[in-house]
Amino acid sequence: MRVGILTSGGDCQGLNGAMYGLVKALNFNCKEKLEIYGILEGYTGLINGDYKKMKSEEFEGILNMGGSILGNSRQPFKRINDADENGVTKLQSMIKNYKNMDLDCLVVLGGNGSHKTANLLSEQGLNVVTLPKTIDNDINGTEMTFGFQSAIDIATRTLEELHTTAKSHKRIIIDEIMGNKAGFLTLYSGIAGEADIILIPEIPYSIDKIVDFINKKLDEGRRHIIIAAAEGIISKEESKLTKKELKQKRATENYTSAAVYLEKKLSEKVHREIRAVVPGHIQRGGSPCAYDKVLTSRLGAKGAELILNKEYGRMVAVVNNEISSVPLSVAVEKPKRVNPNDEIVKQVRMMGICLGD
Ligand code: F6P
C-alpha cells in the first residue's frame, strides 16, 4: 500500500503528531507492504513532483515537535486552475504526480483552503483522507481542530504576562491574537487569560462602548486593563462596508494591525498610556500541548483506519466529542464562526467582560 502525506497551508502545532499517529497505526495494522511518500512543502510538492520515499521510523519521536517535517506552503484554491508555461494547470499536475507515485491514498493535513483543494482532488477520482489542522478551529464538520488548544495556551500566556507589566505601569495593553475571520482563539484565550475586554471579528465593536467600559473600570480603581483583540476585528461602522470599501478606508487610515489601530483610536479618548502588542506567529510555534498530542495521535490513528477500510473522500473529525469522520463535502461548507448567541458568549457577558458591542 502506497500512501502520500502532505501538510498544507499555515503550519500549527500537532502536524508532526498527526503524522506520527497516522504512520504508527498504518504500520501496525497494514497487512500489505507499506510505502510512505512524504510530499514536500504542501500542495507545492504535489504540483512540482517534489516528494520522497520515507521510512516509518522517520515518523517516530516527532509527536512533540513543532512545525512540519515535510514543510508547509500556501497554494490558494482560487489559483488551482492557473497554468504553467506549458499550459498545464496546478490541478492537472497534482493529478499527474499522484498517478506517477502510484498512490493508493493521499493524506492531506490542512485547514479550510486546503480542504477545498482536497475535496476537488477527491471529486477528480483521487483517494483522499484529510486531518483537520488550524489554530483558528474554524473548519466545518469538526468540533475541534488540532493546533487550537496549543495556540490557546500560548495566547493565554501572553495575556497573563501582560497583566503583570500593565498593572505595574497602570497601562492599558491591547494584545492582538491571531484569527482573521474566526474569534475562537481570542475568545478562549481571552477568558483563560482574564482579559477585561475581548474583541472578536464576529461581534463588531463600538469605540465609544469600549471607552465607557475602560473609564468605568478606572473610576472604580482598576489599575490596568487588558484587551484581547482578534487580528480580524471590525468596528460597527466598518461592518456596514463592502470588502472593497473597507480596504479603501484602511488604506487611507494607514491601517497596519488591529491592535495598533485600536491603540490610536483609544488614545484619542482615554487618558491613560496605551500599548499594542502583536505576538503573531509565536502562537503557531513550538511544541503541541498535551491535549493536542493526544488529539493528533487519535486523529492520525483514525485516519489510518479510514485508509485501511478504503473509506476515502473523508475528513477525520471530532463529532459529539468522539473521533469520527465526515465527508469532505461537509468539511468545505461555510467555515465555523463564533455564534454571538452561543452559551460561551453569554457566560462572558455574565462575568462582566466587555465584548465591545
Ligand atoms: O489560519 C491560521 C492563521 O494563523 C490565522 O490565524 C492567520 O490569520 C493566518 O494563519 C496567518 O497566515 P500567514 O502565516 O500566512 O501570515
Side-chain angles (χ1 to χ4, degrees):
M1 171 175 276
R2 271 194 194 174
V3 176
I5 311 175
L6 64 83
T7 53
S8 171
D11 76 334
C12 73
Q13 303 89 341
L15 284 166
N16 290 324
M19 291 191 276
Y20 157 85
L22 177 89
V23 174
K24 202 172 171 68
L26 277 176
N27 211 22
F28 188 66
N29 295 288
C30 187
K31 302 274 179 284
E32 321 160 29
K33 183 167 174 266
L34 178 66
E35 287 183 8
I36 302 289
Y37 280 84
I39 300 163
L40 307 178
E41 325 298 347
Y43 286 120
T44 306
L46 191 57
I47 294 165
N48 298 336
D50 199 5
Y51 49 82
K52 60 178 179 183
K53 199 169 162 187
M54 294 176 77
K55 295 196 181 88
S56 302
E57 301 86 76
E58 290 179 76
F59 295 90
E60 295 281 335
I62 59 168
L63 180 58
N64 189 39
M65 208 186 273
S68 163
I69 56 168
L70 299 179
N72 281 76
S73 69
R74 291 200 188 275
Q75 277 290 345
F77 177 70
K78 57 180 180 217
R79 315 210 56 170
I80 199 155
N81 286 314
D82 284 5
D84 64 15
E85 58 282 6
N86 302 316
V88 183
T89 68
K90 293 181 182 190
L91 179 62
Q92 288 167 332
S93 298
M94 286 197 255
I95 295 170
K96 184 185 87 195
N97 284 318
Y98 174 96
K99 291 189 174 149
N100 283 350
M101 275 185 274
D102 199 17
L103 295 180
D104 290 296
C105 182
L106 171 69
V107 182
V108 174
L109 284 67
N112 273 311
S114 310
H115 271 85
K116 286 187 191 164
T117 302
N119 184 47
L120 183 61
L121 292 173
S122 167
E123 285 171 351
Q124 297 287 315
L126 272 54
N127 298 331
V128 183
V129 164
T130 69
L131 302 177
K133 73 89 229 192
T134 168
I135 63 167
D136 295 340
N137 194 28
D138 62 348
I139 304 177
N140 191 58
T142 183
E143 286 150 21
M144 187 64 66
T145 59
F146 63 86
F148 178 54
Q149 296 290 339
S150 302
I152 292 176
D153 281 359
I154 296 174
T156 300
R157 184 88 193 275
T158 65
L159 288 161
E160 286 166 351
E161 293 188 350
L162 290 171
H163 270 290
T164 61
T165 173
K167 193 169 183 182
S168 285
H169 286 269
K170 288 183 154 184
R171 281 175 178 157
I172 295 167
I173 299 191
I174 307 156
D175 186 2
E176 181 173 315
I177 293 168
M178 275 186 158
N180 222 337
K181 301 267 166 47
F184 294 105
L185 182 56
T186 306
L187 184 61
Y188 280 73
S189 57
I191 295 171
E194 286 188 62
D196 302 282
I197 301 171
I198 299 175
L199 305 176
I200 58 174
E202 295 89 338
I203 303 179
Y205 65 86
S206 144
I207 278 287
D208 289 338
K209 286 275 164 61
I210 299 172
V211 170
D212 289 349
F213 179 87
I214 292 175
N215 286 335
K216 186 166 175 281
K217 283 277 160 195
L218 297 179
D219 287 350
E220 285 168 3
R222 174 103 173 147
R223 277 182 72 85
H224 73 293
I225 301 283
I226 295 294
I227 306 177
E231 64 174 318
I233 52 168
I234 49 167
S235 66
K236 281 190 189 293
E237 300 77 55
E238 287 173 335
S239 70
K240 294 182 189 122
L241 304 178
T242 62
K243 243 181 174 182
K244 197 172 161 203
E245 287 167 342
L246 178 61
K247 214 173 159 194
Q248 279 165 352
K249 174 181 182 281
R250 291 193 164 172
T252 53
E253 288 172 329
N254 292 324
Y255 186 96
T256 51
S257 90
V260 173
Y261 181 74
L262 213 56
E263 178 189 11
K264 189 165 149 255
K265 288 285 159 196
L266 290 177
S267 299
E268 291 163 7
K269 301 190 174 190
V270 176
H271 307 292
R272 256 306 163 92
E273 211 177 334
I274 308 179
R275 295 296 171 94
V277 173
V278 185
H281 292 83
I282 291 171
Q283 294 160 88
R284 282 199 336 225
S287 300
C289 63
Y291 180 99
D292 270 335
K293 286 182 206 171
V294 176
L295 179 66
T296 51
S297 300
R298 295 182 67 194
L299 294 174
K302 182 71 184 181
E305 185 186 305
L306 293 182
I307 296 168
L308 295 169
N309 292 338
K310 301 195 186 333
E311 290 180 65
Y312 304 123
R314 299 187 74 79
M315 172 181 79
V316 181
V318 180
V319 181
N320 297 328
N321 220 11
E322 302 279 343
I323 304 296
S324 174
S325 71
V326 296
L328 286 175
S329 56
V330 170
V332 297
E333 280 172 25
K334 222 163 160 246
K336 266 189 334 191
R337 300 286 178 249
V338 174
N339 179 345
N341 297 318
D342 272 352
E343 280 288 299
I344 187 167
V345 178
K346 284 185 197 157
Q347 285 139 13
V348 166
R349 292 193 194 280
M350 278 292 291
M351 288 189 287
I353 296 168
C354 172
L355 287 161
D357 58 340

